[in-house]
Amino acid sequence: MPSIRVLSVASEAVPLVKTGGLADVAGALPSALAPHGVEMTTLLPGYPAVMAAIGKARRIHGYGALLGEPARLLTAKLDGHPLIVIDAPGLYRREGGPYTDAAGREWPDNWRRFAALGRVAADIAGGAVKGRRFDLVHAHDWQAGMAPAYLRYAPLPDAPRVPSVITVHNMAFVGGFDRAILPALGLPDYAWAIDGVEFYGRVSFLKAGLVSADAITTVSPTYAEEIRRPEFGMGFEGLIEGRADRVHGILNGIDAAQWSPAADPALAASYGHRHLNRRTANKRALEAEFGLDQDDGPLFIAITRLTWQKGMDVLAGLTDHIAGIGGRLALLGSGDAWMESAFHAAAARHPGRIGVRIGYDEALSHRMQGGGDAILIPSRFEPCGLTQLYGLAYGCVPVVARTGGLADTVIDANPAAVQAGVATGVQFDGVTHETLASAISRAASLYRQPEVWRIIQKNGMACDFSWGASGKAYAALYARLIEETR
Ligand code: ADP
Ligand code: GLC
């Protein structure tokens, strides 16, 4: 089979830089696609962490002025797959996060930083780098949204037509900027239009990608339907509805090399579905780490951005309830300052029952999945969600709101599902104090029926959320778009 060459354009990718699920997915795609005849090269901005990780790398192209800044393209490897890094010190070499400074303020020149990412993608696809040819560009989220837009509106002269796909990992981040940036983007005047990059009087990079790409994918089938409605479409519902025949929901997978309890170096004790009792050692270690009492009640965990999307304001109001029903909560997260304080206050009110870690800690997140009894995910919307998939794989039973990818991946332990022996978690409708409280209580009462609980855990561990089917679906989509463009 001749291989399809795809340029994947992302603002983060595991193991080099991660702020959320996008990085897990961008990092896993090259290996997920390889068995299906796709050679995927990843294009990433040269943040300090990325530059440090690639070390001495070969230069393959230079720019006198990329969006006004000198830059060079370097070639390296990402877990054995090809990687191209944009080394543009004026844009990316600064301390802080990929999108914000150390204090959490958005970089004021984010439009320039991510327009540059899109521009480079379109140039590479257009043949700017000798010896590198691509059949398709796959852009992720608003940060890469300008890649399809440059391919549509401002390709390199004489460039072959290269089709593009944009994956929406989160519709809530529109990449909106003042229209004053328009001249600096280097788009033709007609791109400023209702079916172009204009979005409520501003420029939106996400919209630029959504109107320009040959196909739009999102990371679960249910979210692909939800974004056709105003509650989830964030103002793009009309556009999505209008392009419905171009919209596909392809569920994220999980990378078994990073996430399997039988071979996870982060865990005190490794285990498989036949040795669930070994989880106890992890649970005891986790209790100690969070300063929690050791008892027979359920140990709930949460690993999350502390934001409205994730329903963490609602969970913050339920810590008394968790303690009151004999449960405990270990929470790892960072985000909105008031939520961080609310969880700290809860921990102070309930010593031994509520433990809180504010920050980002990859290894701890593994220890929590390996030792917690149930993971709480009360998201108001969730394009896919990965922590419920990790929970399923680790026998840490997900308690989730019925939305997006959470609806698609968890089977609620209602009486019929329990009787049929197919339940994998607890689902509830609508994120309110009452609905989440009752879901937590329901999880606790299932936990107190050890035989039932064990079956729920095992069912989850038996689910196949590897990349197999989704890798195949992406490969089929790429092949179709390439065929269509010929
Ligand atoms: P989102 O990308 O919307 O934040 P996902 O569930 O898709 O949600 O992915 C979140 C990813 O980030 C998961 O890999 C999760 O384990 C990880 N994560 C979130 N918060 C933290 C944290 N504070 N420390 C470590 N890992 C975290
Ligand atoms: C986004 C979404 C999350 C999804 C992740 C990876 O961050 O919020 O639901 O799992 O992207 O696609």
Side-chain angles (χ1 to χ4, degrees):
M1 194 178 2
S3 80
I4 296 180
R5 291 154 305 182
V6 172
L7 183 67
S8 169
V9 188
S11 55
E12 46 184 282
V14 158
L16 301 180
V17 48
K18 167 166 168 177
T19 70
L22 165 63
D24 297 71
V25 174
L29 277 178
S31 297
L33 270 307
H36 305 286
V38 175
E39 186 193 58
M40 184 174 273
T41 299
T42 305
L43 176 67
L44 275 182
Y47 315 113
V50 173
M51 297 307 295
I54 64 173
K56 265 205 163 52
R58 193 162 61 85
R59 175 188 177 283
I60 51 171
H61 191 67
Y63 284 91
L66 168 65
L67 270 294
E69 290 293 327
R72 12 174 240 159
L73 303 184
L74 304 175
T75 174
K77 291 275 180 199
L78 178 68
D79 274 349
H81 300 281
L83 171 72
I84 299 177
V85 171
I86 309 171
D87 180 23
L91 298 175
Y92 307 125
R93 281 224 214 152
R94 41 181 94 161
E95 293 312 319
Y99 320 122
T100 60
D101 65 17
R105 282 178 302 248
E106 305 259 318
W107 298 114
D109 57 349
N110 271 345
W111 66 272
R112 192 189 297 277
R113 301 171 73 236
F114 295 107
L117 179 63
R119 183 67 260 174
V120 170
D123 291 347
I124 297 175
V129 180
K130 228 172 103 227
R132 305 269 173 153
R133 296 264 170 246
F134 289 93
D135 303 305
L136 182 137
V137 170
H138 185 164
H140 299 274
D141 274 354
W142 73 264
Q143 292 91 339
M146 287 302 289
Y150 282 123
L151 286 171
R152 171 183 175 194
Y153 291 112
L156 283 189
D158 302 321
R161 157 120 167 81
V162 174
S164 62
V165 176
I166 184 162
T167 295
V168 182
H169 295 265
N170 197 331
M171 208 60 141
F173 300 111
V174 306
F177 302 102
D178 196 286
R179 88 173 268 191
I181 70 162
L182 206 56
L185 292 179
L187 296 175
D189 290 344
Y190 68 87
W192 178 258
I194 183 105
D195 61 351
V197 304
E198 188 272 343
F199 186 58
Y200 295 102
R202 289 161 66 79
V203 178
S204 157
F205 284 13
L206 179 60
K207 179 159 176 200
L210 294 175
V211 296
S212 304
D214 296 276
I216 299 168
T217 70
T218 187
V219 287
S220 70
T222 291
Y223 193 61
E225 287 301 316
E226 288 173 338
I227 56 177
R228 298 165 74 160
R229 306 203 305 265
E231 309 92 279
F232 298 97
M234 308 284 164
F236 296 109
E237 55 277 5
L239 191 171
I240 295 294
E241 185 62 33
R243 300 203 69 195
D245 59 333
R246 295 263 139 192
V247 179
H248 309 268
I250 302 177
L251 204 60
N252 287 333
I254 66 176
D255 186 351
Q258 308 279 340
W259 292 95
S260 41
D264 187 334
L267 300 184
S270 54
Y271 58 94
H273 62 98
R274 285 203 202 83
H275 308 105
L276 275 171
N277 51 337
R278 292 196 193 146
R279 291 183 96 256
T280 310
N282 297 328
K283 184 171 175 178
R284 295 285 100 94
L286 197 60
E287 288 160 344
E289 190 163 2
F290 276 88
L292 296 172
D293 301 340
Q294 297 196 351
D295 65 30
D296 295 336
L299 173 55
F300 294 100
I301 65 163
I303 304 164
T304 181
R305 293 185 281 122
L306 298 176
T307 64
W308 185 87
Q309 174 194 344
K310 302 291 180 180
M312 284 299 122
D313 50 328
V314 181
L315 182 63
L318 278 165
T319 48
D320 296 353
H321 175 74
I322 291 174
I325 60 169
R328 287 152 299 151
L329 172 68
L331 176 134
L332 167 63
S334 62
D336 293 358
W338 80 261
M339 293 187 205
E340 296 184 358
S341 325
F343 282 110
H344 274 315
R349 247 188 351 264
H350 298 288
R353 310 308 300 175
I354 309 287
V356 172
R357 220 27 92 65
I358 299 300
Y360 192 93
D361 187 333
E362 189 74 26
L364 177 56
S365 77
H366 286 243
R367 296 196 290 279
M368 293 170 73
Q369 297 278 14
D373 293 310
I375 179 162
L376 302 176
I377 315 177
S379 304
R380 290 189 169 89
F381 64 95
E382 196 60 82
C384 178
L386 294 172
T387 57
Q388 85 280 13
L389 301 182
Y390 301 146
L392 290 166
Y394 278 64
C396 182
V397 174
V399 178
V400 305
R402 189 177 282 114
T403 186
L406 301 173
D408 290 336
T409 54
V410 175
I411 301 175
D412 179 57
N414 62 44
V418 169
Q419 202 181 21
V422 296
T424 62
V426 170
Q427 283 187 332
F428 62 98
D429 286 298
V431 180
T432 66
H433 185 91
E434 289 71 31
T435 56
L436 179 56
S438 92
I440 290 172
S441 299
R442 196 147 69 85
S445 84
L446 289 163
Y447 176 81
R448 294 196 165 98
Q449 305 164 59
E451 270 135 56
V452 174
W453 190 256
R454 206 134 265 222
I455 290 169
I456 296 175
Q457 285 180 297
K458 287 188 177 179
N459 289 342
M461 294 176 81
C463 290
D464 179 7
F465 287 113
S466 65
W467 273 101
S470 301
K472 198 168 163 194
Y474 277 116
L477 175 65
Y478 298 156
R480 209 155 65 234
L481 296 174
I482 292 165
E483 188 54 41
E484 207 179 85
T485 312
R486 282 210 175 106

